[in-house]
Amino acid sequence: MRVERLENYIVQFKKGNFDLFDDFYEQVKRPCFYNIYSLVKNHDLSEDLLQETFVRFLKSINSIDENENVLGYLILISRNITLDYIKKHGRVRELYEHEEVVSKDDNDIDKTILLDKVREILKKDQLEIFTLHVLSDLTFEEIAKILKRPLGTVLWSYNSAIKKLRKEIKLWEKLTTETL
């Protein structure tokens, strides 16, 4: 995904031309969705909060600077909306374990299942940084800005997460080779 191309959409949207909104939405929905999903762990709720993200984005379109990282801005909106939802409704009911993920794209199902497994291993802050970097393809600098944390903290958390995941993979490989 090219940031320059996303900035061009903003210019068009500010002019009132929303003909390319579907294309824009397709380019940015996955990173926003996985950011939300990493926090609420519920597919349907994530879809609802994603829609609310885009409603808020469109309402604020005229205040967005064309030189701003549009994807970072959307992820920040999605994160804030999600955290507001969690605060308002208390803990999100964790029905996701029994939730059947319905998607037209098997790759989305695979990512959701993988994210559930990763969630079991990582702490919440590590999961959020991992998701923003791996699934949303944001730089560590962008993540630090969105989360309002020092870059060093973000890098440390990400590296700790990767070490934990590698350890779990090695353990799983060891267990599967022993059983064969």
Side-chain angles (χ1 to χ4, degrees):
M1 173 181 343
R2 294 181 45 102
V3 173
E4 298 85 26
R5 183 170 165 104
L6 294 179
E7 292 168 355
N8 292 335
Y9 286 115
I10 300 305
V11 171
Q12 292 301 310
F13 297 160
K14 283 186 172 186
K15 291 178 182 176
N17 181 3
F18 291 94
D19 293 340
L20 298 174
F21 184 78
D22 289 342
D23 185 41
F24 173 78
Y25 179 78
E26 288 302 317
Q27 290 186 45
V28 297
K29 74 174 181 179
R30 280 196 171 115
C32 293
F33 174 82
Y34 289 117
N35 179 54
I36 296 168
Y37 187 83
S38 73
L39 296 170
V40 298
K41 306 166 188 93
N42 181 293
H43 189 273
D44 292 335
L45 178 57
S46 297
E47 289 285 343
D48 292 344
L49 294 172
L50 179 67
Q51 297 310 312
E52 190 174 331
T53 296
F54 281 95
V55 168
R56 189 173 297 175
F57 169 76
L58 289 173
K59 285 181 180 178
S60 66
I61 197 74
N62 290 321
S63 65
I64 300 172
D65 182 6
E66 289 91 4
N67 298 321
E68 187 172 350
N69 178 338
V70 177
L71 181 58
Y73 182 73
L74 276 166
I75 289 180
L76 182 60
I77 291 173
S78 68
R79 182 176 191 271
N80 289 341
I81 286 173
T82 304
L83 293 176
D84 288 347
Y85 178 88
I86 292 170
K87 286 178 190 173
K88 184 176 180 181
H89 295 93
R91 294 193 135 240
V92 177
R93 290 187 352 202
E94 296 191 14
L95 299 174
Y96 69 92
E97 292 175 7
H98 306 290
E99 170 183 289
E100 184 176 325
V101 178
V102 179
S103 175
K104 296 177 186 173
D105 188 352
D106 287 339
N107 192 28
D108 284 347
I109 295 171
D110 292 343
K111 284 183 181 177
T112 305
I113 292 169
L114 180 61
L115 191 56
D116 286 341
K117 296 297 180 194
V118 169
R119 181 182 300 105
E120 293 173 10
I121 299 166
L122 300 179
K123 294 179 184 174
K124 185 177 179 179
D125 63 323
Q126 291 173 328
L127 176 66
E128 188 172 17
I129 292 168
F130 176 83
T131 303
L132 289 172
H133 183 66
V134 175
L135 297 178
S136 301
D137 202 27
L138 293 177
T139 66
F140 293 113
E141 291 84 6
E142 292 168 329
I143 295 169
K145 184 177 177 183
I146 290 169
L147 299 179
K148 297 178 181 156
R149 294 187 189 152
L151 177 60
T153 303
V154 170
L155 290 169
W156 181 82
S157 292
Y158 180 78
N159 286 327
S160 295
I162 295 300
K163 286 178 185 177
K164 280 184 178 180
L165 292 172
R166 283 184 182 147
K167 183 178 176 182
E168 287 294 321
I169 290 170
K170 285 180 183 178
L171 179 62
W172 182 80
E173 286 175 343
K174 184 179 177 182
L175 290 173
T176 56
T177 56
E178 288 176 359
T179 58
L180 296 178

